[in-house]
């Protein structure tokens, strides 16, 4: 399936809207919610050694604060690297938000070298996300970083 047209449309909407800060992040997460395999979409904001849940769409989660180094989200920051997880059941450090979640993609939001936070998406199918999703979310992350405050 070619997901690019839907991705391009979302990037265009986010570019064109006049929101910033948390309002922009809420708008962007609502757009992600329209994509078929995106069952939970959220932003975590990094403050020191802790990630704090910010805008999100999907079921409420217990993991509103995640220390750097813990889970998929904390590992992304600790390793300064996006995390594309085909099957969360193969991980030992996974923090479960929902019993339905089978795959996950975490993409860092950076301003230059500084990590501001991350976009975290969960899917109910194994292998719901691939490099195309990662490239798209990298572009979205850059737009969010640009209007972070
Ligand atoms: N699964 C994540 C926790 C966040 S929830 O997916 C919303 C992790 O292992 O860090």
């Amino acid at each position: 399936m070619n997901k690019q047209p839907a991705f391009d449309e979302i990037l265009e909407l986010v570019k064109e809207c006049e929101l910033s800060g948390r309002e922009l992040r809420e708008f962007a997460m609502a757009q992600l919610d329209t994509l078929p395999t995106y069952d939970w979409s959220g932003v975590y904001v990094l403050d020191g050694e802790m990630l704090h849940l910010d805008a999100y769409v999907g079921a409420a989660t217990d993991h509103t604060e995640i220390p750097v180094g813990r889970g998929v989200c904390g590992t992304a920051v600790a390793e300064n690297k996006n995390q594309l997880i085909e099957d969360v059941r193969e991980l030992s450090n996974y923090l479960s938000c929902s019993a339905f979640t089978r795959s996950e993609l975490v993409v860092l939001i950076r301003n230059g070298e500084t990590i501001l936070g991350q976009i975290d998406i969960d899917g109910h199918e194994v292998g719901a996300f691939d490099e195309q999703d990662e490239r798209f979310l990298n572009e979205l992350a850059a737009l969010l970083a640009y209007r972070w405050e």
Side-chain angles (χ1 to χ4, degrees):
M1 192 183 70
N2 184 11
K3 308 181 234 182
Q4 203 57 48
F7 291 165
D8 288 343
E9 195 178 321
I10 290 175
L11 292 171
E12 206 47 42
L13 283 169
V14 171
K15 263 181 222 160
E16 294 299 316
C17 81
E18 291 183 353
L19 303 169
S20 62
R22 185 164 179 148
E23 282 182 343
L24 177 66
R25 299 192 285 275
E26 278 169 358
F27 178 77
M29 293 307 103
Q31 298 309 316
L32 294 187
D33 194 44
T34 66
L35 296 169
T37 60
Y38 288 49
D39 294 305
W40 190 95
S41 306
V43 171
Y44 283 90
V45 171
L46 181 65
D47 183 15
E49 290 295 301
M50 192 67 87
L51 287 159
H52 300 269
L53 183 60
D54 181 77
Y56 73 95
V57 177
T61 171
D62 288 342
H63 300 293
T64 54
E65 296 200 329
I66 302 175
V68 170
R70 286 208 59 210
V72 180
C73 296
T75 299
V77 177
E79 295 183 357
N80 193 11
K81 192 170 174 291
N82 295 342
Q83 307 287 313
L84 176 53
I85 311 297
E86 285 265 309
D87 185 349
V88 298
R89 293 190 189 168
E90 288 176 5
L91 294 182
S92 53
N93 66 345
Y94 172 66
L95 301 173
S96 175
C97 278
S98 152
F100 294 112
T101 299
R102 291 304 308 272
S103 52
E104 179 158 0
L105 173 58
V106 174
V107 168
L108 292 167
I109 304 170
R110 295 188 179 91
N111 178 7
E113 298 294 303
T114 306
I115 298 174
L116 300 175
Q118 60 190 212
I119 301 170
D120 176 24
I121 54 173
D122 292 351
H124 291 174
E125 305 292 329
V126 170
F129 311 113
D130 59 18
E131 284 75 15
Q132 208 186 344
D133 296 277
E134 186 180 351
R135 277 196 299 276
F136 159 58
L137 291 178
N138 273 331
E139 286 188 55
L140 183 62
L143 295 176
L144 298 184
Y146 191 63
R147 283 184 270 157
W148 191 245
E149 302 291 342

